[in-house]
Amino acid sequence: MSEDRLSLNQWTTQRWSLREAVDGCVRHGVPAIGLWRQQVGEYGVAASARAVRAAGLRVSSLCRGGFLTSGGPLDDNRRAIDEAAELGAECLVLVVGGLPGVPPGATPPAWFSRDLPGARARVAEAVDALVPYAARSRVRLALEPLHPMYCADRAVISTLGQALDLVERHPPEWAGVVVDAFHVWWDPDLPAQIARAGASGRIAAYQVSDWLHPLPPEILLGRAMMGDGVIDLRAMTSAVLSAGYTGDIEVEIFNADVWAADPDEVLTTMRRRYRQMFADS
Amino acid sequence: MSEDRLSLNQWTTQRWSLREAVDGCVRHGVPAIGLWRQQVGEYGVAASARAVRAAGLRVSSLCRGGFLTSGGPLDDNRRAIDEAAELGAECLVLVVGGLPGVPPGATPPAWFSRDLPGARARVAEAVDALVPYAARSRVRLALEPLHPMYCADRAVISTLGQALDLVERHPPEWAGVVVDAFHVWWDPDLPAQIARAGASGRIAAYQVSDWLHPLPPEILLGRAMMGDGVIDLRAMTSAVLSAGYTGDIEVEIFNADVWAADPDEVLTTMRRRYRQMFADS
């Protein structure tokens, strides 16, 4: 496979502004980019949309909406949908949120909820409420199961099967899932669920990075460049492509060393690894 | 529920010798103990068996055999079975091992395997090979799914459903599963799998601790005293008991602060939390 399906998720080159990331993709022949709302907001949504269009880049995803478990208003998610529409993003990634009251990565306050089934029910309700708005905006929502180690604070949806159960109540055009290698590689049911997701046209995004072993002290930063961890990414990518996924392969790496490195070197390595790992796919 | 089903897993009071842990259980009115092979080995297997019998303690489990993914000889696991028999343990806990060549908690060497399905197949073969020996020794093997964050280095069996698929090929008397709250609380399929395990008489041990949020830098030590984390332990315990489990509720806490505390205070707290959390069960 050539690099015609490679996408840079801009969090991989976190220190680059939107403008710098767009220019970097062009410079390195990367045809797609996954955007983050922070950087888009700093550059301006309209300006960002113009920049990616002028550069001829596909927007493989916009990260992210979600955090749906607290049952609050969905205003910010509707704004995220509007932004995804303006950017022409293939999907808006939703990280659904953890137990109500449990802050991401920080000690819980005196009150929080241990009601995991209740939190999951709220996610289902919020997705049901958001899909019609997304459909009107012609934006595809992409529910992302996160690794179970983030269940308390970031995502009560931990498996691809769970995510599919939720989105299958809606048309595939507007409700899909993210397959992120780091989050789902351990799942014994993964091959079956990738096939299920592919058969129903639900794979909205495919994100790759590797599982660093041992994990660093900050578990959010346990992702590595493809090939530097323990995941059989070649097999997983083959499964995703065999399931009928025709979108981009987006490289999203949360890693202190990668963030500290020269972004141009990161893109050079990323391209090389992509070729090495997915050449036969 | 009174404390008649409370068990101290001796790793919770790691600095106590076997003798001290047995005496501690007696002093605090704890009627059962989960033993570890290290401490049993230091005190001697025969002496350990005499000590627990003289104290009138049930041995709710022996930790642990396993690490079956490398395909080596099973001699050490057969020795562990012999020890469990001599100790009169309710079961021998098996932690199945991670990807071949990936050392627990440490950086992999130049060679290791990314073949997760292959590792799982080796576990199945090893369990098949060990069950007849366990049956002859009248020892029950208890397969323990570990949290998916340990998939690389400690256990390629991550869910209760996966563990049940493996043990259901054998008689329930000799092949069961461990339900460990810390490892399985996130699983969307947990209620169904607990019911399945109970219906077929497969719950060999029930271990409790809580999920600390945020996790400490050393993820192996992310367990907390019941009530100090985010798990709805009352609901889980109710599900396990409703499924027909009649064994002990074993408290197994890997936590630097708990290990640093006075073990007598740990047992006092453990008894109090046990009464608070499981009083209505």
Side-chain angles (χ1 to χ4, degrees):
Chain A
M1 183 189 302
S2 68
E3 286 97 294
D4 58 2
R5 292 175 73 174
L6 174 59
S7 174
L8 170 72
N9 181 291
Q10 72 171 132
W11 212 258
T12 303
T13 52
Q14 200 197 27
R15 65 163 118 149
W16 267 351
S17 67
L18 184 127
R19 179 78 256 169
E20 290 170 324
V22 166
D23 292 345
C25 285
V26 171
R27 197 158 59 244
H28 289 270
V30 174
I33 189 167
L35 299 176
W36 276 71
R37 291 183 71 202
Q38 282 92 318
Q39 283 89 339
V40 167
E42 282 159 19
Y43 197 67
V45 181
S48 299
R50 277 195 303 273
V52 292
R53 264 168 216 157
L57 296 180
R58 286 187 300 278
V59 179
S60 51
S61 72
L62 176 65
C63 294
R64 60 192 184 185
F67 289 88
L68 310 169
T69 49
S70 297
L74 297 170
D75 297 355
D76 189 58
N77 278 290
R78 281 187 281 264
R79 273 193 298 275
I81 290 169
D82 294 343
E83 291 167 24
E86 189 163 354
L87 294 163
E90 295 291 327
C91 61
L92 172 67
V93 174
L94 298 182
V95 169
V96 302
L99 291 168
V102 175
T107 304
W111 182 88
F112 65 92
S113 169
R114 291 183 175 85
D115 180 10
L116 189 51
R120 288 170 175 156
R122 283 181 176 183
V123 172
E125 289 162 16
V127 169
D128 291 351
L130 284 174
V131 168
Y133 188 88
R136 279 194 299 276
S137 310
R138 307 197 70 76
V139 167
R140 190 180 204 191
L141 301 179
L143 222 58
E144 181 168 13
L146 297 201
H147 193 280
M149 70 184 168
Y150 303 123
C151 185
D153 62 342
R154 296 180 195 272
V156 295
I157 301 294
S158 307
T159 68
L160 203 49
Q162 242 183 317
L164 287 167
D165 287 346
L166 287 184
V167 298
E168 282 177 353
R169 310 194 285 194
H170 301 287
E173 290 81 1
W174 317 122
V177 295
V178 181
V179 178
D180 183 312
F182 176 84
H183 291 305
V184 300
W185 71 278
W186 59 273
D187 186 354
D189 207 25
L190 188 64
Q193 296 300 333
I194 286 176
R196 171 186 170 195
S200 54
R202 298 280 177 181
I203 305 178
Y206 177 47
Q207 296 181 326
V208 293
S209 66
D210 216 328
W211 177 277
L212 209 54
H213 177 76
L215 286 179
E218 170 50 81
I219 59 170
L220 199 64
L221 309 184
R223 309 191 199 192
M225 182 61 73
M226 301 86 79
D228 289 346
V230 303
I231 304 176
D232 187 349
L233 283 167
R234 198 184 291 265
M236 195 186 303
T237 301
S238 173
V240 168
L241 299 186
S242 299
Y245 176 68
T246 56
D248 293 307
I249 299 176
E250 190 179 296
V251 177
E252 185 190 50
I253 304 175
F254 290 35
N255 179 300
D257 294 333
V258 171
W259 291 345
D262 174 357
D264 275 298
E265 286 179 18
V266 172
L267 262 70
T268 301
T269 305
M270 177 180 92
R271 279 193 56 166
R272 191 175 65 243
R273 295 292 176 87
Y274 179 90
R275 281 196 304 272
Q276 288 168 352
M277 303 209 67
F278 309 133
D280 307 329
S281 295
Chain B
M1 182 189 302
S2 67
E3 286 97 293
D4 59 359
R5 293 174 74 174
L6 175 58
S7 175
L8 170 73
N9 182 291
Q10 73 171 131
W11 212 260
T12 303
T13 52
Q14 201 197 26
R15 64 163 119 151
W16 267 351
S17 68
L18 184 126
R19 179 76 255 170
E20 291 170 321
V22 167
D23 292 345
C25 285
V26 171
R27 198 160 57 245
H28 289 270
V30 175
I33 190 166
L35 299 176
W36 276 71
R37 292 182 71 202
Q38 284 92 319
Q39 282 90 339
V40 166
E42 282 160 19
Y43 196 66
V45 182
S48 299
R50 279 195 301 274
V52 293
R53 265 169 216 157
L57 296 179
R58 288 187 299 279
V59 178
S60 50
S61 72
L62 176 64
C63 294
R64 60 192 187 187
F67 290 89
L68 310 168
T69 49
S70 296
L74 296 170
D75 298 355
D76 188 60
N77 278 289
R78 282 187 280 265
R79 274 193 298 275
I81 290 169
D82 295 343
E83 292 169 20
E86 188 164 354
L87 294 163
E90 295 291 327
C91 61
L92 172 68
V93 174
L94 299 182
V95 169
V96 303
L99 293 167
V102 176
T107 304
W111 183 88
F112 65 91
S113 168
R114 291 183 175 84
D115 180 9
L116 189 51
R120 288 171 175 155
R122 284 182 175 182
V123 172
E125 288 163 14
V127 169
D128 291 351
L130 282 174
V131 168
Y133 188 87
R136 280 196 297 279
S137 311
R138 308 197 68 75
V139 165
R140 191 181 204 189
L141 301 179
L143 223 60
E144 181 167 14
L146 297 200
H147 192 281
M149 69 184 170
Y150 303 124
C151 185
D153 62 342
R154 296 180 195 270
V156 294
I157 302 295
S158 306
T159 67
L160 203 49
Q162 241 184 318
L164 287 167
D165 286 346
L166 287 184
V167 298
E168 282 177 351
R169 310 194 285 194
H170 302 288
E173 291 80 2
W174 317 124
V177 295
V178 182
V179 177
D180 184 312
F182 177 83
H183 291 305
V184 300
W185 71 278
W186 59 272
D187 185 354
D189 208 25
L190 187 64
Q193 296 300 333
I194 286 176
R196 171 186 171 195
S200 55
R202 298 281 175 180
I203 306 178
Y206 177 46
Q207 296 180 326
V208 293
S209 66
D210 216 328
W211 177 277
L212 209 54
H213 176 77
L215 286 178
E218 169 50 81
I219 59 170
L220 200 63
L221 309 185
R223 308 193 201 191
M225 182 64 70
M226 301 88 78
D228 289 347
V230 303
I231 305 176
D232 187 349
L233 283 168
R234 198 185 290 265
M236 195 187 301
T237 302
S238 172
V240 168
L241 299 185
S242 299
Y245 176 68
T246 56
D248 293 307
I249 299 177
E250 190 180 296
V251 177
E252 186 191 48
I253 304 175
F254 290 34
N255 178 300
D257 294 333
V258 170
W259 290 346
D262 174 357
D264 276 297
E265 286 179 17
V266 171
L267 262 69
T268 300
T269 305
M270 177 181 93
R271 279 193 57 167
R272 190 175 66 242
R273 295 290 178 86
Y274 179 88
R275 279 197 304 274
Q276 289 168 351
M277 302 208 69
F278 309 134
D280 307 329
S281 295

